[in-house]
Amino acid sequence: MIFKVLIIGLISLANAANIRPSIYADEKVQNYLTSFGYLPESDKEIANLRTDQQLREAIRDLQSFAGLPTTGEIDQATSKLMNSRRCGLPDKSDSQHHHSRHKRFAIHGSPWRHRNLTWSLRTERPGGLNTHEVRRELGSALNLWARNSKLTFREINSDRADILIYFQRHYHGDGYPFDGRGQILAHAFFPGPDRGGDAHFDEDEIWLLNNESTEDGTSLLAVAAHEFGHSLGLTHSSVRGALMYPYYQGISQNYELPDDDRNGIQQMYGAPEDKLWANIPKSHSTQPPRAMPTTTIPTPRRTHYPSTRWGHPKTSRPLPADDIPDKCDTSYDAITIIRREVYVFKGSYLWRKGDKGIYHGYPTKITGVFKFPHDIDHVDAVYQTVDERKIVFFIGKKYYVFNAGNLESGYPKPLKTLGLPETLEKIDGAFVWGYNNRTYFFSGTMYWRFDESSHEVEWDYPRDISMFKGVSYNIDTVFQWKNGKTYFFKGKGYWEFDDLRMRVAHKTPKLSAPFWMDCPSPGIETNDIDYSPRKAKITLNSSSQNSMKFSIIIISFLITIFIKKT
Ligand SMILES: [Zn+2]
Ligand SMILES: [Zn+2]
């Protein structure tokens, strides 16, 4: 009925104006033109009063923006365009109707005031996909913008993030319903409070990961990268091939931001030079794809301890004296807090330390306290999970999860099930950082942040240990003490770490034994051990330099004689 009225209205208007019949612009076409900003929204209720000229103008605008011949008619190319997949945001806002039609990026409103933005995926298993892989894809999409601007993006697990990401279908509470599979793929909100910055994806689409391509499928990376452009303040670009072009184009492997989009983002947030995190080696990109998570450690917070009793050292059994480490003259394999006591591991032994010092009866065999399924001669790293319910040990390429002194069933498991590279030989240290209550793994020159909920390391790790300024590569262990501070250990020394300034509290490591193992201090003068972090300084004193010069002269002399003889 409405449709008939509309057509009759248009015909009568056309007749009145004595121009060509205009029934080509049916209701669907007009809705399309209105939705994407080519006809003013305010005319929607009085659509039958639109003049033919107004419609032709709108169609010409649409064609011009998309880069089609501007016929002003719904020809084949235009009809095809209107059926193709695209972003749900309008190409023109009301204010743009009478503005210039430069072909280039456009900016909407004001940019974010801060450059360190946070983001969070708020839909579990979106579209039935693996949440971890979706997060990795979203992270890659944001990274495109980060690489080309001064912006940084940090993933947090909170609905207070700047950019909240949802997968939803049909009406989803924001007045911009999705339309089932096809046509509208996603939309996003420009920078601002509340919904500002958020991105919504139509869950009815067939979302493809890893830059796959099928006829019906849509690349999540391509669409997410486009939507995040809106989240950062860019509107649609009429440059075909630009990321902010409104129609779905897909993106190639190793895609880089096109010039038009780069100019846009840099006009708002500046070019990326001297960015703090820019020098992190991208070693993770060369690693094999990560295994799917196979287990999940539940992490509800508990204020009481599990009722399971802890094993106690069997002091009645005589210890073989030959392999007992000297607690005052050694490095330490692993240190952790377990139920507010410090556990120090070396070789096959451990010490336990309470508020009044190291307990009697220690060291004792690790296997006397923790029921490993086989004999062990060392542990590489150990930490207590954030919820204080589990103890996780790392030995070589495997890890073991204990509930109190008992090994959980199904363990040990390979490190790669945590998303760590298969080539990783061992973990040096593992701890929960007091600064953010997140779990970190260290190995060699790298560290990873571990997601306790997905039970995998996060997608944008590893990073270089140099982020923890002043700490050496190849640490022995790291742990958070009861004071909430972080301590890194290497050799016989340790550093206290200043979490707020992100650097060691003292450049020179201090001797571990006197402070941590109740050992006599060798004296104030020698308590600081000379242990230059990271760079081994090779300096020759003047006498050795002189003797070296002398040697060089003699060698040159001998060579000269040798050459003359031959
Ligand atoms: Zn868009
Ligand atoms: Zn929405």
Side-chain angles (χ1 to χ4, degrees), residues 172 174 176 187 200:
H172 54 275
D174 62 7
Y176 308 99
H187 55 230
H200 299 168

Side-chain angles (χ1 to χ4, degrees), residues 152-168:
T152 61
F153 300 98
R154 188 165 59 90
E155 185 183 11
I156 60 173
N157 186 11
S158 163
D159 54 14
R160 293 167 68 177
D162 297 315
I163 299 171
L164 297 178
I165 299 147
Y166 294 89
F167 284 72
Q168 288 160 321

Side-chain angles (χ1 to χ4, degrees), residues 401-416:
V401 177
F402 281 82
N403 190 339
N406 299 310
L407 187 66
E408 300 254 288
S409 70
Y411 290 94
K413 289 183 180 180
L415 292 183
K416 66 173 183 184

Side-chain angles (χ1 to χ4, degrees), residues 557-566:
F557 182 62
L558 290 173
I559 289 172
T560 315
I561 292 170
F562 181 70
I563 290 170
K564 276 184 180 171
K565 279 193 172 174
T566 53

